[in-house]
Amino acid sequence: MSSTEQTLSIIKPDAVERNLDNEIKEMFKSKGFKIVKEKKIQIEKVEAETFYKVHETKPFYNDLCSYLSSGPIVVMVLEKENAVLANRELMGATNPKEATDGTIRKKYGISIDKNSVHGSDSVENAKIEINFFFKD
Ligand code: UDP
Ligand code: MG
């Protein structure tokens, strides 16, 4: 069974800083994703802490939240059949060194922390994350 879903994607500071946002958006579009909402913003560290709360016990949590709030990001709602999984596949593994050819992280990721993109990991979390950035 397949169905149209929405997922949240973030182009992270390392990619925006290198002006890769348009190339990454083209990768999404060429794979059939529709970008239904989009904004370029910079968030406060406390907002990053809320967004990544699921990771609060992890050793990388503080650095992760400092990093996500360190510069402009592009936040998007992507729509496609099975968008959550399709986006995870297009992103590639968390560690760019382990990402396979054709994925965003393989192409653009610098390191496990500067891995260029975020994507929701479930339909349930996608709803929470979309609501976090696009309340209205
Ligand atoms: N991260 C990190 N060090 C690690 C694991 C994760 O800096 O050892 C960062 C990385 O930027 C990752 C984010 O924390 O994208 C969230 O981790 P998660 O396991 O949810 O990976 P993702 O869902 O982004 O692939
Ligand atoms: Mg995750």
Side-chain angles (χ1 to χ4, degrees):
M1 272 288 285
S2 63
S3 58
T4 301
E5 287 174 3
Q6 292 190 339
T7 190
L8 185 90
S9 171
I10 303 176
I11 304 176
K12 293 183 176 182
D14 67 271
V16 176
E17 181 179 275
R18 287 176 286 153
N19 290 313
L20 296 171
D21 37 326
N22 281 329
E23 284 173 56
I24 291 173
K25 281 193 264 178
E26 285 308 317
M27 282 181 82
F28 287 124
K29 288 188 221 166
S30 74
K31 291 284 178 181
F33 289 93
K34 204 171 139 189
I35 301 172
V36 297
K37 286 183 188 170
E38 174 186 350
K39 61 182 176 183
K40 191 185 221 177
I41 54 171
Q42 182 163 356
I43 60 171
E44 300 289 337
K45 189 174 179 192
V46 289
E47 296 175 281
E49 286 167 351
T50 304
F51 180 75
Y52 273 131
K53 190 130 185 91
V54 64
H55 291 305
E56 71 181 329
T57 61
K58 308 274 174 62
F60 56 83
Y61 179 64
N62 184 57
D63 286 346
L64 173 62
C65 296
S66 296
Y67 166 64
L68 193 71
S69 57
S70 68
I73 57 176
V74 176
V75 188
M76 294 169 289
V77 176
L78 303 180
E79 194 173 275
K80 179 183 154 78
E81 298 279 294
N82 299 312
V84 172
L85 187 61
N87 181 37
R88 296 294 307 191
E89 286 174 0
L90 180 55
M91 287 163 59
T94 305
N95 187 345
K97 290 185 180 70
E98 291 162 13
T100 56
D101 285 347
T103 63
I104 296 171
R105 284 167 165 172
K106 169 77 175 188
K107 198 167 181 193
Y108 300 118
I110 296 168
S111 57
I112 192 163
D113 47 323
K114 295 185 174 178
N115 59 8
S116 302
V117 280
H118 165 86
S120 310
D121 63 4
S122 67
V123 173
E124 187 189 0
N125 284 334
K127 287 180 183 146
I128 294 167
E129 292 181 358
I130 288 168
N131 190 52
F132 182 85
F133 283 108
F134 300 97
K135 278 190 189 67
D136 28 280

